[in-house]
Amino acid sequence: MDEKRPFADSGEVFDAIDRDAAKTLAMVAGDVVLVLDKTGNILDGSFDPNAFPEFEQWIGDNWLDTVTAESRPKIMEMLAAARKGEVQHWRQVNHPSREGDVPIKYVVVSINGGERAIAFGRDLREIGKVQQRLLKVQQSLERDYIRMRHVEARYRLLFESSREPVMIVEASDYRIREANPAAHALVGAKAGSLADKKLLGLFSRKSGSTVTAHLGSALVTNAVSPVAVTLDKGGREVTLSASGFTRTGGNTCSSVSKMHSDRSSPTWHPCSTS
């Protein structure tokens, strides 16, 4: 049964089991316990009538008649194996009821040389409910993932197509994580070449402290006025405007966008570990 390790040396314990103890063991071994003859007729049974209100009617019926059509071959196989005294494995069958099918996992143990058998059953309804809840959670996560992908796609489209120079910058070391095409064009960089570069390297030395102070302020307050700074390449003067935000995963970011050569404001978004 499920490849369990057999008892090694407990023969005297089982030899000492009387009728009442055997009944108790059988009752606690399963949620449903059925005593069967070799043809599968139900001679007796033990179960909680509150959990299985319709099972009381089974006594005297054949086990085959209590299950759904697709479960009958499994019942026949278990009964045949019991008559042969073969070691069995748990099999799930479904019992029809007014409230829907009741899934139960059974194993059949042969007794009296195959003249009788005991079917031990475990109720799978709670497991099914847990599986349904997990399925709903999984489906909800998948829907959230799809929505996030759509949001990301829209953000990416706006980011890439914006005429305003925008950069996402790590606030811990002012390293550029992302920059849109307009930002590359403004600083005279090749497409895609700004990622992982130091932001301060884009500005003149005299503007370095101004940029650092502005980005630092943006991480602690939203009321930061734009500042005029000078690009290192070409000495072009631009207006820098930064704002901070928190990324999922515990990082704080601030952005640098609206960076124009005519002193319109660029907005830079630095990210820092919070």
Side-chain angles (χ1 to χ4, degrees):
M1 299 178 188
D2 289 346
E3 306 301 329
K4 283 187 176 179
R5 176 189 181 278
F7 292 103
D9 187 20
S10 300
E12 71 282 359
V13 175
F14 293 104
D15 289 340
I17 294 177
D18 58 22
R19 178 178 296 181
D20 291 338
K23 287 182 179 179
T24 301
L25 284 174
M27 290 173 65
V28 301
D31 299 312
V32 176
V33 183
L34 304 177
V35 178
L36 311 166
D37 66 14
K38 63 181 180 181
T39 63
N41 291 318
I42 301 173
L43 307 178
D44 202 354
S46 174
F47 41 81
D48 181 353
N50 294 319
F52 308 96
E54 299 179 17
F55 286 23
E56 189 72 44
Q57 305 169 14
W58 291 2
I59 308 302
D61 291 343
N62 193 282
W63 195 19
L64 279 171
D65 297 330
T66 69
V67 300
T68 58
E70 63 272 12
S71 295
R72 290 187 176 186
K74 298 179 184 179
I75 298 293
M76 296 174 65
E77 291 171 4
M78 285 189 284
L79 290 173
R83 287 192 291 268
K84 298 177 183 178
E86 296 177 352
V87 176
Q88 297 200 26
H89 301 282
W90 293 93
R91 305 288 298 275
Q92 178 183 336
V93 302
N94 294 312
H95 297 282
S97 73
R98 288 188 295 270
E99 298 179 356
D101 290 352
V102 178
I104 296 182
K105 183 170 65 173
Y106 285 102
V107 68
V108 179
V109 177
S110 176
I111 56 177
N112 294 344
E115 290 297 315
R116 296 287 185 270
I118 300 179
F120 298 93
R122 296 177 182 172
D123 190 355
L124 298 180
R125 283 177 292 187
E126 283 303 316
I127 295 177
K129 291 178 182 177
V130 172
Q131 290 174 337
Q132 285 297 318
R133 288 196 292 269
L134 288 175
L135 179 60
K136 289 181 180 178
V137 170
Q138 181 182 6
Q139 291 173 339
S140 177
L141 289 174
E142 289 176 352
R143 288 192 296 268
D144 289 343
Y145 175 74
I146 292 173
R147 283 196 294 268
M148 289 300 295
R149 289 297 300 269
H150 289 165
V151 170
E152 181 183 0
R154 290 193 292 270
Y155 155 77
R156 178 61 54 186
L157 178 61
L158 290 172
F159 182 77
E160 296 292 339
S161 61
S162 174
R163 294 182 179 181
E164 296 178 343
V166 181
M167 295 184 188
I168 310 297
V169 180
E170 285 287 349
S172 57
D173 58 4
Y174 302 134
R175 192 174 295 277
I176 300 169
R177 293 176 59 86
E178 294 185 68
N180 69 350
H184 284 81
L186 179 62
V187 300
K190 292 182 179 179
S193 64
L194 291 179
D196 208 38
K197 296 290 180 61
K198 288 285 190 176
L199 175 65
L200 296 180
L202 301 180
F203 299 96
S204 64
R205 287 187 178 182
K206 67 177 183 179
S207 295
S209 59
T210 302
V211 173
T212 301
H214 183 70
L215 297 183
S217 298
L219 294 173
V220 296
T221 179
N222 292 325
V224 182
S225 299
V227 294
V229 292
T230 304
L231 295 177
D232 181 59
K233 189 173 182 179
R236 187 180 304 172
E237 189 176 78
V238 298
T239 300
L240 173 65
S241 176
S243 58
F245 65 94
T246 301
R247 286 189 295 114
T248 301
N251 286 337
T252 301
C253 303
S254 64
S255 92
V256 187
S257 61
K258 299 179 185 174
M259 187 168 60
H260 299 280
S261 59
D262 57 359
R263 295 194 59 180
S264 300
S265 57
T267 305
W268 310 66
H269 300 276
C271 307
S272 72
T273 302
S274 58

